[in-house]
């Protein structure tokens, strides 16, 4: 069973830029893993931000972008806002779904 | 509007059993693979189990294999998770989840607490 690894915590200043990453124990993350990124705020169910590595939904703020970078999936937040403080999870598809451990993002 | 409503959670003793249900509406239930995902208090998301559209194919996380059984009733638009031999570490919010057109839809979850 693959293990998917994310940074446990990151801090970004308001207006700043931060990149969260998602790595696989089996090797490079590719588009074939159909990477998802979710945002979860306390007491809420997760919300999809990015799918298929870089595709956005209509509700995804423009300041979020997804990519494949250096063998990992990446979520970049450019121009952080206080409301972006949340937990972020990636999801990769192998023969089944595997979630990353999540990144707690602090905007401070 | 897509809705997933989980029910059946509660307090159960270690070694006990519980059956969760997920009532679906707003989409063609029988057309989608559906999953259970859980989240222990203060912890991350963990894939639990999934079932194919017809129910003919299922998969389970190693942590629940042999103890949990997923099933579905397409005539009732309902997903189930029969949980037995429950352990303290099964304590979590259990979400019913499916993926469509790039979105992953989540229910609000139901809390299962395993404690003596």
């Amino acid at each position: 069973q693959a293990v998917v690894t994310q940074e446990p915590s990151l801090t970004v200043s308001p207006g700043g830029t931060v990149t969260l990453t998602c790595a696989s124990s089996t090797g490079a993350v590719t588009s074939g893993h159909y990477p998802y990124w979710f945002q979860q705020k306390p007491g809420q169910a997760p919300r999809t931000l990015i799918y298929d590595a870089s595709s956005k939904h209509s509700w995804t703020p423009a300041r979020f972008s997804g990519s494949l970078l250096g063998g990992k999936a990446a979520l970049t937040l450019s121009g952080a806002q206080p409301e972006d403080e949340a937990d972020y999870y990636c999801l990769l598809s192998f023969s089944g779904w595997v979630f990353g451990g999540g990144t707690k993002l602090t905007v401070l | 509007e897509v809705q997933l409503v989980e029910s059946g959670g509660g307090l159960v003793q270690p070694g006990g059993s519980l059956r969760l249900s997920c009532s679906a509406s707003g989409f063609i239930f029988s057309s989608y693979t559906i999953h259970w995902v859980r989240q222990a208090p203060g912890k991350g998301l963990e894939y639990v189990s999934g079932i194919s559209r017809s129910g003919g194919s299922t998969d389970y996380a190693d942590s629940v294999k042999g103890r949990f059984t997923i099933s579905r009733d397409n005539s009732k638009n309902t997903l189930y998770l029969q949980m037995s031999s429950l352990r303290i570490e099964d304590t979590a919010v259990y979400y019913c989840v499916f993926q469509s057109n790039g979105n992953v839809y989540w229910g609000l979850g139901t809390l299962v607490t395993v404690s003596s």
Side-chain angles (χ1 to χ4, degrees), chain A residues 21-100:
Chain A
T21 67
C22 175
S24 169
S25 63
T26 63
V29 176
T30 70
S31 58
H33 293 107
Y34 305 102
Y36 275 83
W37 287 96
F38 303 100
Q39 178 191 65
Q40 186 181 34
K41 295 184 177 181
Q44 297 181 15
R47 177 178 75 147
T48 307
L49 288 179
I50 300 289
Y51 66 99
D52 291 349
S54 60
S55 297
K56 298 182 185 183
H57 286 287
S58 57
W59 57 82
T60 305
R63 59 186 179 274
F64 288 95
S65 63
S67 63
L68 294 175
L69 193 66
K72 300 179 183 180
L75 176 70
T76 299
L77 170 57
S78 303
Q81 300 297 309
E83 60 265 30
D84 299 327
E85 187 161 296
D87 295 326
Y88 293 82
Y89 294 93
C90 67
L91 168 63
L92 300 180
S93 294
F94 296 87
S95 54
W97 285 2
V98 182
F99 288 93

Side-chain angles (χ1 to χ4, degrees), chain A residues 10-18 77-82 84 105-108:
Chain A
L10 290 169
T11 299
V12 61
S13 300
T17 296
V18 64
L77 170 57
S78 303
Q81 300 297 309
D84 299 327
L105 182 66
T106 300
V107 181
L108 188 62

Side-chain angles (χ1 to χ4, degrees), chain B residues 2-83:
Chain B
V2 170
Q3 280 202 315
L4 299 166
V5 180
E6 301 91 340
S7 60
L11 176 63
V12 61
Q13 292 188 336
S17 298
L18 211 56
R19 187 175 86 154
L20 305 184
S21 300
C22 170
S23 177
S25 60
F27 65 103
I28 303 173
F29 181 75
S30 60
S31 294
Y32 294 94
T33 295
I34 313 286
H35 312 269
W36 288 101
V37 174
R38 70 184 179 183
Q39 186 169 35
K43 303 297 184 181
L45 302 170
E46 180 188 15
Y47 183 81
V48 174
S49 182
I51 186 166
S52 63
R53 291 173 291 179
S54 68
S57 178
T58 59
D59 71 330
Y60 299 92
D62 288 344
S63 57
V64 307
K65 204 170 292 183
R67 301 187 299 121
F68 289 12
T69 302
I70 191 172
S71 61
R72 66 191 296 164
D73 186 336
N74 287 343
S75 69
K76 295 181 178 179
N77 288 351
T78 302
L79 175 74
Y80 302 100
L81 186 68
Q82 178 67 47
M83 305 186 294

